[in-house]
Structures are given as structure tokens and as C-alpha cells.
């Protein structure tokens, strides 16, 4: 039921957020409600994993989801003040969330690199990060320059680690594919958000909706990857 509640909260937030984004700036209670609604889906997904039989992958992904929820809350309030410290706080929260996803994928990867961890599978993610930074960095404010570069590197690493599980002996095939799909969709979501925020000369149609839909899909896929990992092959609590 927590998964269902998360889906319902995500839908309500997507429907209401365009109307309350800027209204929340003038009403603290509305701002808190706005932040809670945005953070709700990831929080409920984390709780659904924590309430299931324990594996380290579930725990690590749940922590990543909770950090993402914290980032959601920061960014929900940040809309009132462009380039405020809250944007940086949100960026750091998501970065730490990716670190936990990386650890989760690394701990459920093969001891020896599988064939999927090759130049053919890593190059697209490195190329995507390189192109995105090339397009965005000239327009990124100086205080955010280094954090944006570090975030792009960590996000690319998360995608590479997710791809490295595919074809390996740890975890179910379903879990491997869901994890890689979740990482890729997360990359699409963040790339759309970054272009819409920093590349002022480009207009991304329906950017707000695209970012939210891809973001929530990515979180569900990552949670599903942890939930469907083969417990007999995942690293479990002793």
C-alpha cells in the first residue's frame, strides 16, 4: 500500500504544483505543504523498501530515496528565490543519494567486471555528461560551477554502475534491467531540468511536466530494482 500511496502523492503533486509553486512564496504553511508533497513519493518508496525483508541493496536504495526526498523539499522551497543556497543544498542531497545508489549497485555487481562493463556501455554516459556540461557550463553561475561538474560526474558514475550489473551473476535479471532503466531515466530527468534552468536561450516544451514524470518513473524503477533483486544472490544482513 505504500507503493500505491507514493503513486497517488506523485500524481497529486504533478497536478497541483504548477498552481502552487509561486503561491507558496507568500504563505509559509503552503510552502511547507508544497515541500512535503514533493518529497512524499520518494519517502513512501523508501518506507516500502524498509518494511520489506532486509537486504543491503534495499537499505542503500532506501537511503538514496530519502536523500532524494530531502533534495525535493529543498528545491520545492527554492522556487521562491532563484539561485538561492537551497538549490545547492538540493543538489548536494541528490548527489549523496546517487552515492548510495552507486554503492547499492557496486555491492550487487559481479566480483569480476562482466562483459557489459565495456567501452560500449560506459562511453554513452560519459559522452552525455560531456555534451551536457559543454552546453551548460558557459551559463552556469560561478558559485554553482564546481558543484554542477561534480554532480554530473557522480550521475554518470551511477549510470555506469547500474549498467555494470547487467549480465552479471549477482541479482535477478529483472533487477539488473530495472536498475539500468531507472538510472537512464534519472539522467534524462536531470538533463531536462538543467537545460531548462541554465540554458536560457533554449525553450524546453512542458519542461516542468517532463522533469517530474521522468523523475518519479526513475525513482520507481530504482526502488523496483532493489525490491526484485534475488535475495539469494544479493548481499544480506548476517
Amino acid at each position: 500500500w505504500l507503493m500505491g500511496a507514493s503513486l497517488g502523492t506523485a500524481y497529486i503533486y504533478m497536478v497541483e504544483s504548477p498552481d502552487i509553486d509561486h503561491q507558496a512564496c507568500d504563505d509559509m504553511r503552503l510552502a511547507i505543504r508544497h515541500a512535503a508533497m514533493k518529497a512524499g513519493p520518494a519517502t513512501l518508496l523508501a518506507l516500502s523498501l524498509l518494511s520489506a525483508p532486509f537486504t543491503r541493496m534495499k537499505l542503500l536504495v532506501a537511503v538514496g530515496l530519502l536523500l532524494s526526498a530531502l533534495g525535493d523539499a529543498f528545491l520545492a522551497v527554492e522556487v521562491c528565490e532563484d539561485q538561492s543556497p537551497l538549490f545547492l543544498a538540493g543538489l548536494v542531497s541528490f548527489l549523496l543519494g546517487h552515492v548510495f545508489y552507486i554503492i547499492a549497485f557496486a555491492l550487487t555487481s559481479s566480483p569480476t567486471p562482466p562483459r557489459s562493463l565495456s567501452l560500449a556501455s560506459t562511453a554513452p554516459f560519459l559522452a552525455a555528461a560531456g555534451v551536457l556540461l559543454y552546453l551548460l557550463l558557459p551559463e552556469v553561475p560561478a558559485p554553482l560551477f564546481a558543484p554542477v561538474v561534480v554532480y554530473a560526474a557522480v550521475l554518470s558514475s551511477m549510470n555506469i554502475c547500474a549498467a555494470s550489473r547487467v549480465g552479471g551473476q549477482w541479482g535477478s535479471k529483472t533487477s539488473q534491467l530495472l536498475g539500468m532503466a531507472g538510472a537512464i531515466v534519472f539522467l534524462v530527468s536531470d538533463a531536462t531540468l538543467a537545460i531548462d534552468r541554465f540554458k536560457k536561450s533554449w525553450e524546453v516544451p512542458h519542461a516542468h511536466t517532463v522533469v517530474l514524470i521522468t523523475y518519479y518513473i526513475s525513482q520507481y524503477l530504482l526502488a523496483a530494482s532493489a525490491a526484485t533483486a534475488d535475495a539469494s544472490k544479493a548481499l544480506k544482513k548476517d
Side-chain angles (χ1 to χ4, degrees):
W1 70 270
L2 287 170
M3 285 278 193
S6 176
L7 181 62
T9 306
Y11 175 77
I12 292 171
Y13 177 78
M14 286 191 292
V15 170
E16 290 192 359
S17 61
D19 297 325
I20 65 176
D21 267 353
H22 293 285
Q23 295 175 26
C25 300
D26 302 319
D27 186 335
M28 181 55 67
R29 287 178 300 178
L30 187 59
I32 293 173
R33 173 173 173 262
H34 183 42
M37 286 179 59
K38 189 172 185 181
T43 302
L44 291 170
L45 281 176
L47 292 176
S48 72
L49 290 179
L50 293 173
S51 65
F54 182 93
T55 66
R56 288 184 185 176
M57 184 175 184
K58 288 177 186 174
L59 176 61
L60 290 164
V61 171
V63 174
L65 288 167
L66 291 174
L67 286 165
S68 294
L70 182 62
D72 286 333
F74 282 132
L75 295 185
V77 179
E78 184 270 341
V79 71
C80 302
E81 225 180 310
D82 279 345
Q83 299 172 13
S84 74
L86 289 174
F87 178 79
L88 182 57
L91 192 70
V92 171
S93 297
F94 281 110
L95 186 150
L96 293 174
H98 290 317
V99 170
F100 276 88
Y101 295 145
I102 288 171
I103 297 171
F105 292 143
L107 290 180
T108 54
S109 295
S110 297
T112 55
R115 287 175 297 175
S116 58
L117 186 56
S118 62
L119 183 61
S121 62
T122 59
F125 302 121
L126 296 177
V131 170
L132 196 60
L133 290 174
Y134 175 79
L135 293 172
L136 297 180
L137 286 183
E139 300 184 46
V140 171
L144 295 177
F145 192 94
V148 167
V149 171
V150 173
Y151 183 85
V154 172
L155 181 59
S156 298
S157 298
M158 193 265 279
N159 275 266
I160 292 170
C161 286
S164 74
R165 297 177 69 226
V166 179
Q169 64 183 17
W170 294 85
S172 67
K173 187 71 171 179
T174 298
S175 173
Q176 294 171 359
L177 294 175
L178 287 171
M180 185 173 69
I184 291 172
V185 178
F186 211 130
L187 177 61
V188 171
S189 179
D190 278 356
T192 305
L193 175 63
I195 291 171
D196 183 60
R197 182 181 181 91
F198 298 120
K199 196 70 176 176
K200 301 301 183 183
S201 59
W202 290 11
E203 183 177 347
V204 182
H206 311 291
H208 181 78
T209 302
V210 172
V211 168
L212 286 179
I213 289 176
T214 52
Y215 170 65
Y216 287 133
I217 288 175
S218 71
Q219 298 287 44
Y220 275 92
L221 290 172
L222 292 172
S225 176
T228 57
D230 186 344
S232 65
K233 294 182 180 180
L235 290 177
K236 298 184 289 181
K237 185 177 181 180
D238 295 331

